Amino acid sequence: MVSTNAEPEAPGVDLGRLADLSVTKLHGVGPKKAKGLASMELETCLDLLTHYPRRYIDRSKQARIADLAEGEEASVLVSVLTTNSRRVKGGKVMVFSTVGDDSGSIKITFFNQAWRERQLTPGRQAVIYGKVELFRGQRQMTNPVVDLVGDKTARIIPVYPQSSKSGLHSWDIAEWAAEILRRSVPPAGRGISDPLPDYLLDRHDFITREAAFVGIHQPESMAEVAEARRRLVFDELFRLQLALVLRKRAIERTETGLAHVIDGPLLAGFTEGLPFALTSAQDKAIAEICKDLARPIPMHRLLQGDVGAGKTLVAVAAMLAAVDGGHQAALMAPTEVLAEQHFAGIRALLDGLTVEASNSLLGERPLKVELLTSRLGTADRKRILAGLLTGDIDLAIGTHALIQENVMFSSLGTVVIDEQHRFGVEQRAALRDRSYGDATPDVLVMTATPIPRTAAMTVYGDLDVSVLDELPPGRTPIVTRWVRAPGDLAQAPEELEGATDLEAMWAAVTEQIDQGRQVYLVCPLIDESEKLEVASAEATFDRLRQVELDGYRLALLHGRLGSAEKDETMELFRSGQVDVLVATTVIEVGVDVANATVMVILDADRFGIAQLHQLRGRVGRGEHASSCWLVGQATTEDGEARLEALVASTDGFELAEVDLDLRGEGTILGERQKGRNDLKLASLRRDREAVGQARQAAIDVVDADPALEAHPSLARELQVFLDEADAEFLLKS
Ligand code: ADP
Ligand code: MG
């Protein structure tokens, strides 16, 4: 094809152009259809083009009605022959339809779905999916899944997600997607442009974006779908990673950090004084952190580690490095209980360490650690605020109280935030702002809720990540059992279902107590209110005292107790004067009693995987073998899978993968990617490899071209998919 015209080759249609085109520009989209589309959040041609088929029907692979066997779950492509309805008892409606293919026919029945009569008019083609039953010698399906597919001749028929409310059918959407492609792709159109640099196309052996859109909407084979999907998944993940890497680099450019001394005497004295050797994972994490601290760019690092992996030590090392460099450090915990525990634990770890006094004539003074929570009295609070401002206090441990207006540090070098998932991004920023001067402190975020690596790359894509993937030596694995019995002892009838298992459990539990061990017992989770939760905990406590654990020393701990009472109870447990600590989830985080070897969780099916894993992490901390009993009856498949996962694994990272599989990425992404999540096709679980590839590609592109000046089409693409303000922030150099 030789063009005599001197005009440059048309650049093709980019996605921004399609984002500017309303769906009303398409044939047959009037106000009513546009409204239906809008109800599915499809307003532009780009929305439609990226509204991908949910699945495909391969005509050549469909079962034939004649071959369907009773009891089998099957999907068949059929034409509707007849449909009628009948009103039954209670005013409900039953719809009966007879559907057939060239091998025979089958009856389908719907209960209470009157609208099916309008949907299944004779002649319509549909794919039905359901279980084949035999009724009076005839095969039939009850309430099957129905996808109307329109009268198509292609071998592969795409089935689009649709909502019955929108009034649109899968084939409507297929038509419009086809029209967009027809008008964009040559010969009628200018072609869809491809923003990926050639070297990335080559590296991953990708088809072009245009081929990918055609392949996903109008495939000729399932292999074509797979290639199209691979390319489009990458594009989604790549956009996200580009944004994250740009953000990370932008922060690095705009902030001035404090370059610390990283091998000062304090840190060295601390690690040498420990009664045990650091695990190699701890060593590695500390080295990574120290490297960050030594750079003039502020650290933004996430420390992931399973319960008991020894994150506290790593955090303390980071804080001491700050003090070695002449600065202060702060640790912020999500609850008062946890802040107090950190304070007690960290103070014990630091016992005997000294720093040089600000007046060198005075020589050394003890390292000063203080606790700042809202429970402080006015005088103490005043004293501590003054100490932070003058720099007399080296380490501050606390709660949200640390980020209140009037808290000011002399020179805050390092900030550690524990249990990140409970704090918002804003609070992180607020703590950073507590610092005097221009320098931004180094931030280490710790989370004991491990998330899979690929998810971490996405959710925390603007942070560096260190992982403690190794437990200190000498831990005996916790044996977990699931007792399938009602978890609410207080309300359960005398004849408990699963009672023999429960009896066995109580026998095992009391045997441990008789051997001098201690027990945590977590009460049912009540979402409605703290008051109800407390009432339920009290009822459980009374019941246990009189029945299952009669004769043992029990104590009750819940969120409504005053702090003095809580402390007293915890102290009684710590010192071994209480055998069984009956508690609400107050004990979820941080409690550390080595002699406690049994964890009983009632109504375990109501807790999430991460929470159960956290709770279980309260035992197995000492020399004795530990066990965890999950009591509950899973009412859903997911609930069943959760409890089974807990029984099968004690590895937090492995459990996180299961959690991701069960809950999907929505929940994980939700916290940080709100409104910025265009992952329509990509899945953090299925596409793990692609996440890593996209991250690497984004790093390669951004490091070579920080403002994307040489990649205008990628820059344009970010503007299309991100908020404008966001894109502007990211791209300004
Ligand atoms: P995490 O916060 O990660 O759940 P902690 O920091 O509370 O874990 O540590 C759990 C326990 O393990 C603590 O009692 C701590 O003293 C101990 N510990 C930490 N690191 C080591 C190590 N390298 N060797 C032995 N014990 C360790
Ligand atoms: Mg901890």
Side-chain angles (χ1 to χ4, degrees):
M1 201 171 56
V2 179
S3 165
T4 49
N5 197 319
E7 251 183 44
E9 203 188 328
V13 177
D14 75 13
L15 298 188
R17 171 86 185 109
L18 293 174
D20 292 338
L21 274 180
S22 157
V23 290
T24 54
K25 299 273 189 258
L26 295 165
H27 282 302
V29 181
K32 194 165 156 224
K33 297 255 155 118
K35 208 170 151 205
L37 284 168
S39 76
M40 295 164 69
E41 294 182 15
L42 303 175
E43 293 176 353
T44 70
C45 288
L46 179 62
D47 295 338
L48 256 176
L49 199 62
T50 55
H51 185 67
Y52 301 113
R54 174 158 52 90
R55 59 193 190 93
Y56 298 86
I57 293 153
D58 187 339
R59 271 180 207 276
S60 65
K61 297 238 170 79
Q62 292 303 301
R64 297 164 70 239
I65 290 179
D67 302 332
L68 297 183
E70 187 200 348
E72 179 187 26
E73 303 231 324
S75 151
V76 274
L77 178 63
V78 297
S79 296
V80 177
L81 302 174
T82 63
T83 298
N84 48 60
S85 67
R86 177 153 48 94
R87 203 162 277 279
V88 293
K89 258 192 253 138
K92 304 217 163 133
V93 173
M94 279 177 84
V95 174
F96 308 94
S97 207
T98 307
V99 298
D101 63 10
D102 55 12
S103 74
S105 67
I106 182 171
K107 196 162 157 188
I108 55 181
T109 309
F110 299 92
F111 288 95
N112 218 16
Q113 301 181 13
W115 54 275
R116 292 285 186 192
E117 193 170 9
R118 273 168 283 129
Q119 182 194 37
L120 298 172
T121 52
R124 285 230 157 136
Q125 282 204 34
V127 172
I128 56 171
Y129 174 82
K131 189 166 178 179
V132 183
E133 305 153 351
L134 216 52
F135 184 69
R136 295 191 181 142
Q138 280 215 317
R139 285 169 308 168
Q140 68 159 37
M141 287 186 190
T142 307
N143 291 342
V145 175
V146 177
D147 282 308
L148 292 182
V149 293
D151 193 8
K152 284 283 183 314
T153 50
R155 176 160 83 85
I156 312 263
I157 306 168
V159 180
Y160 288 88
Q162 57 200 318
S163 66
S164 50
K165 257 194 306 187
S166 72
L168 301 172
H169 298 296
S170 176
W171 73 75
D172 291 323
I173 295 166
E175 265 318 308
W176 292 320
E179 185 186 339
I180 295 169
L181 289 173
R182 205 164 48 239
R183 287 163 65 176
S184 313
V185 173
R190 290 186 292 140
I192 295 176
S193 64
D194 198 324
L196 269 202
D198 285 344
Y199 72 90
L200 287 178
L201 287 174
D202 287 346
R203 183 192 290 175
H204 301 293
D205 199 13
F206 282 139
I207 57 173
T208 64
R209 175 174 274 180
E210 180 175 290
F213 278 124
V214 173
I216 202 122
H217 289 290
Q218 305 173 325
E220 282 174 12
S221 69
M222 289 311 289
E224 200 180 311
V225 173
E227 276 306 293
R229 188 177 179 283
R230 195 167 71 83
R231 169 63 208 266
L232 295 169
V233 159
F234 180 86
D235 284 5
E236 289 181 357
L237 294 169
F238 181 56
R239 281 193 287 267
L240 190 59
Q241 289 300 335
L242 260 187
L244 289 164
V245 172
L246 282 167
R247 162 159 303 123
K248 189 164 183 302
R249 296 287 186 260
I251 290 170
E252 289 170 358
R253 272 198 305 275
T254 53
E255 291 178 344
T256 329
L258 304 156
H260 296 187
V261 176
I262 54 167
D263 45 8
L266 202 50
L267 180 52
F270 169 65
T271 44
E272 276 156 25
L274 288 173
F276 42 71
L278 295 176
T279 64
S280 53
Q282 284 171 322
D283 267 333
K284 182 157 171 270
I286 293 174
E288 285 166 345
I289 290 166
C290 284
K291 210 170 140 205
D292 287 351
L293 297 184
R295 295 194 309 166
I297 296 167
M299 167 170 78
H300 294 275
R301 185 172 285 278
L302 174 73
L303 178 63
Q304 281 209 71
D306 212 339
V307 209
K311 291 181 293 298
T312 314
L313 281 190
V314 175
V316 168
M319 295 195 284
L320 292 180
V323 180
D324 264 332
H327 305 286
Q328 297 157 292
L331 184 150
M332 182 157 77
T335 64
E336 311 240 326
V337 175
L338 197 53
E340 281 159 18
Q341 287 205 5
H342 268 311
F343 178 61
I346 289 175
R347 211 166 40 166
L349 277 174
L350 299 179
D351 195 32
L353 291 181
T354 55
V355 289
E356 219 171 279
S358 48
N359 180 343
S360 54
L361 293 176
L362 298 178
E364 308 260 294
R365 64 164 173 84
L367 184 79
K368 192 152 187 190
V369 190
E370 290 285 359
L371 175 69
L372 183 66
T373 70
S374 51
R375 283 186 195 165
L376 279 185
T378 328
D380 281 335
R381 185 179 162 75
K382 238 171 131 178
R383 178 177 57 79
I384 291 175
L385 291 191
L388 292 176
L389 193 55
T390 57
D392 289 342
I393 296 174
D394 302 295
L395 304 185
I397 295 171
T399 54
H400 289 84
L402 280 171
I403 53 174
Q404 271 150 19
E405 280 296 315
N406 52 356
V407 181
M408 282 294 164
F409 291 81
S410 154
S411 171
L412 184 56
T414 296
V415 168
V416 178
I417 301 179
D418 194 11
E419 308 296 342
Q420 137 86 9
H421 56 292
R422 298 181 187 222
F423 289 111
V425 180
E426 303 77 31
Q427 283 160 317
R428 256 208 274 155
L431 187 46
R432 254 187 270 137
D433 294 343
R434 291 305 100 206
S435 182
Y436 258 170
D438 301 331
T440 310
D442 292 292
V443 177
L444 180 69
V445 173
M446 295 199 287
T447 172
T449 311
I451 64 174
R453 219 175 71 84
T454 54
M457 261 183 222
T458 311
V459 183
Y460 301 109
D462 50 357
L463 302 179
D464 293 303
V465 179
S466 293
V467 179
L468 296 187
D469 51 5
E470 182 189 356
L471 294 181
R475 304 261 167 93
T476 34
I478 304 167
V479 176
T480 303
R481 290 192 195 81
W482 174 13
V483 178
R484 293 169 192 254
D488 193 347
L489 302 178
Q491 278 166 33
E494 226 37 54
E495 299 282 321
L496 280 175
E497 221 177 298
T500 39
D501 288 351
L502 270 179
E503 268 167 31
M505 177 183 87
W506 294 122
V509 169
T510 49
E511 193 197 318
Q512 282 287 303
I513 307 176
D514 295 340
Q515 286 176 20
R517 302 287 82 74
Q518 288 163 284
V519 177
Y520 294 107
L521 190 140
V522 179
C523 295
L525 182 70
I526 313 275
D527 297 325
E528 292 90 70
S529 77
E530 196 183 25
K531 201 168 149 200
L532 285 180
E533 179 147 289
V534 170
S536 148
E538 279 165 349
T540 304
F541 179 68
D542 287 341
R543 153 92 189 198
L544 287 169
R545 238 178 358 176
Q546 286 159 28
V547 187
E548 286 86 359
L549 297 174
D550 180 22
Y552 292 97
R553 296 169 300 173
L554 273 60
L556 178 62
L557 190 68
H558 58 67
R560 287 223 156 179
L561 294 180
S563 57
E565 232 172 322
K566 263 188 214 164
D567 292 347
E568 201 179 316
T569 307
M570 273 319 299
E571 199 38 51
L572 287 175
F573 189 65
R574 244 181 236 122
S575 60
Q577 297 172 67
V578 159
D579 301 314
V580 183
L581 186 66
V582 179
T584 54
T585 49
V586 198
I587 58 165
E588 182 186 344
V589 272
V591 180
D592 198 357
V593 177
N595 190 48
T597 58
V598 182
M599 169 64 70
V600 179
I601 304 172
L602 299 179
D603 259 355
D605 52 298
R606 305 195 48 185
F607 294 89
I609 285 189
Q611 208 176 7
L612 289 170
H613 181 60
Q614 279 286 323
L615 286 168
R616 179 171 60 182
R618 297 304 110 212
V619 297
R621 306 193 139 230
E623 55 189 301
H624 304 286
S626 292
S627 56
C628 172
W629 300 83
L630 307 172
V631 181
Q633 288 166 316
T635 49
T636 61
E637 225 172 276
D638 278 6
E640 178 111 12
R642 281 202 301 272
L643 296 182
E644 270 168 4
L646 261 294
V647 171
S649 174
T650 51
D651 178 333
F653 285 92
E654 206 173 301
L655 289 170
E657 297 274 352
V658 176
D659 208 16
L660 183 58
D661 278 341
L662 290 177
R663 295 197 302 161
E665 46 272 314
T667 36
I668 291 184
L669 281 177
E671 288 175 24
R672 280 172 63 92
Q673 304 304 145
K674 246 181 241 127
R676 214 183 315 122
N677 171 10
D678 90 301
L679 300 188
K680 293 185 172 175
L681 210 50
S683 146
L684 298 185
R685 332 164 237 171
R686 268 175 301 151
D687 302 311
R688 288 182 172 120
E689 201 186 341
V691 175
Q693 292 173 344
R695 177 136 188 108
Q696 190 54 53
I699 290 171
D700 294 347
V701 168
V702 173
D703 285 351
D705 180 17
L708 299 186
E709 280 157 351
H711 297 84
S713 43
L714 283 179
R716 169 107 176 99
E717 186 136 326
L718 287 185
Q719 274 149 358
V720 172
F721 284 92
L722 302 181
D723 289 353
E724 226 164 281
D726 247 357
E728 197 177 313
F729 167 72
L730 294 179
L731 295 173
K732 96 182 160 216
S733 34

